[in-house]
Amino acid sequence: MVAVHWRLELEHACQPRSCVTPESAPEALPGAAERMASFAVRRGPTFLDVGTLDLSPLLVQVAADRESYDTLVVVGIGGSSLGLRALGEALAPTAFRGRGGAHRVRVLESVDPVELDLLLDEVDLSTTCVHVVTKSGSTVETLANFFYLLGALTEALGEGEAWRRVRVTTDPNEGPLAALARERGLPVFPLPSGIGGRFSVLTPVALFGLAFAGVDVRALVEGAAVQRTRFTAALPGANPSLDLALALCRFYEAGLRDVVFFPYVTRLFPLALWFVQLWAESLGKPRGKGEPLGPTPLPAVGTNDQHAQLQLLIEGAHNKVVLFLAAEEETSPSHPPMAPFPPALGVMRYLENAPLARVRSRSMEGVQAALTELGRPHLTLRAASLSPAAMGELVMLLQCATAWAGFLWDIDPFDQPGVEQAKRYAHAMLGKPGAEALRQRAEGLLRGAANDEGSAI
Ligand code: PA5
């Protein structure tokens, strides 16, 4: 019997213009089911096959690194960092955000000189090792950040020792980082070619850092892998990843194109950022000869966004659906009792001694009631805990929902030609040899002097 941690609640997904229930499956379902079935047997590994990856070499390296170092700096961006942040903050918040604890993980993503200085200020390089993550091996931000970090390590410890602290995750079959790793004999924990960046959260891309932080990565991967059959089955009502995709596609067709990803657990906000990339980069693209698709994910977090975005959600344009994430967790064992309310606060006495988790969940229910009252649709994914197995199940559910949405719309959810074109222009404008024509074209476009040839994608 497969353990089920997350339940998808659809009862407030109905609204006058369209009623979204699993039984109201669209005509596109048979085609989508065929595409999912052939994806599931694709020679992989694909993201569905993470349960078959051999984690032993990674775990041996991490065990040795945890003996020798107290800090791991992970350098990567996009699909090479967002999943690590999402699961790291969810499952090991002290290691990712705190200063205490025996092991810490820091992530260097965008290129920003101040961020690099802040990181170098914070970490003790003498007890630090590095995991550089880039599938292509040529992402400019990652390579620039990595070589500055390596420069700092070299200054502090000498060149040989600096290189000894570098571990790599990349596509082993292509790219300059794979070549560099071979030349230098660096430990490589490969990202298989068939797994794209934004679907790579359960591979060494994130598992290395998570294991360094002390997360039980085997339980995490197992929690995802056991759901494979359920999440790939074309069975509305019995497959929450399909039901979620069906609901969001239906809403999109009815004009509700924005999906607000709204966890009510503060440390799940990075998961919202991970979902934004997954949904946007997988689905924002042309659909055959028709209008390009624009399903727009918006990150939010409760309760903060009750005081920021909520007015827009309740009374603003009727173009959004809200996906809540709720975990019935935690009365924190360690926080102190509330101070007694003085008489002047008598009108607020109902709040005295209320556990914070209850204040949070009642706040969420208040938002849900207000949305329901005005016919604003919302869905909820709910779990009893945020264990590694539950988080593995959740990321697999969301990845499969994204794949299902792509298959329902008959687009390829796994490519990103627009991103690749922007990368090509950036390389050209940084002076890549042989890319002079591309650079001139980019400069012309920026001056407003584009020719009529249209996009070069
Ligand atoms: O999902 C994707 O493919 C992208 O977001 C990539 O992860 C991102 O562009 C980083 O690429 P790379 O891993 O090649 O450095």
Side-chain angles (χ1 to χ4, degrees), residues 76-82 133-142 169-170 191 196-200 205 277 281 414-416 419-420 423:
I77 197 163
S80 290
S81 66
L82 289 164
V133 186
T134 159
K135 180 169 186 195
S136 61
S138 59
T139 296
V140 293
E141 297 97 316
T142 302
T169 289
T170 192
L191 172 56
R198 59 190 175 277
F199 289 88
S200 68
V205 165
Q277 187 215 12
E281 207 167 277
F414 304 114
D415 67 1
Q416 57 283 326
V419 178
E420 302 305 338
K423 283 187 180 182

Side-chain angles (χ1 to χ4, degrees), residues 224-385:
V226 296
Q227 304 296 336
R228 182 191 163 112
T229 307
R230 191 162 70 108
F231 290 169
T232 53
L235 293 173
N239 173 355
S241 72
L242 173 60
D243 292 343
L244 180 60
L246 285 170
L248 296 180
C249 291
R250 277 300 189 80
F251 282 125
Y252 182 90
E253 305 299 347
L256 281 70
R257 298 180 161 205
D258 302 347
V259 51
V260 181
F261 192 91
F262 208 161
Y264 263 70
V265 177
T266 305
R267 66 184 192 280
L268 291 189
F269 184 59
L271 185 84
L273 302 179
W274 171 82
F275 177 78
V276 164
Q277 187 215 12
L278 183 67
W279 198 250
E281 207 167 277
S282 302
L283 304 175
K285 55 189 63 163
R287 180 191 193 182
K289 290 194 170 54
E291 183 197 345
L293 285 166
T296 306
L298 301 169
V301 69
T303 61
N304 302 48
D305 276 296
Q306 287 183 219
H307 307 276
Q309 298 190 44
L310 190 58
Q311 173 59 32
L312 175 70
L313 305 186
I314 293 188
E315 284 195 315
H318 194 17
N319 58 3
K320 295 178 175 46
V321 53
V322 182
L323 175 57
F324 291 100
L325 255 76
E328 281 133 29
E329 58 163 10
E330 115 217 27
T331 301
S332 172
S334 57
H335 68 63
M338 244 190 205
F341 280 26
L345 222 67
V347 288
M348 298 291 291
R349 181 126 302 143
Y350 54 86
L351 194 58
E352 200 171 15
N353 291 323
L356 287 180
R358 191 192 308 153
V359 177
R360 181 176 63 182
S361 59
R362 295 296 172 268
S363 300
M364 183 182 80
E365 285 161 13
V367 172
Q368 291 175 324
L371 287 167
T372 304
E373 191 170 34
L374 290 180
R376 303 285 167 127
H378 55 94
L379 301 79
T380 302
L381 275 166
R382 193 184 298 278
S385 82

Side-chain angles (χ1 to χ4, degrees), residues 11-52:
E11 51 269 38
H12 297 293
C14 288
Q15 48 135 6
R17 277 194 294 157
S18 81
C19 186
V20 184
T21 61
E23 295 73 38
S24 64
E27 285 168 9
L29 185 57
E34 261 178 46
R35 286 184 271 280
M36 179 59 96
S38 52
F39 178 71
V41 295
R42 191 183 281 184
R43 273 164 65 85
T46 70
F47 81 91
L48 294 174
D49 302 315
V50 288
T52 65

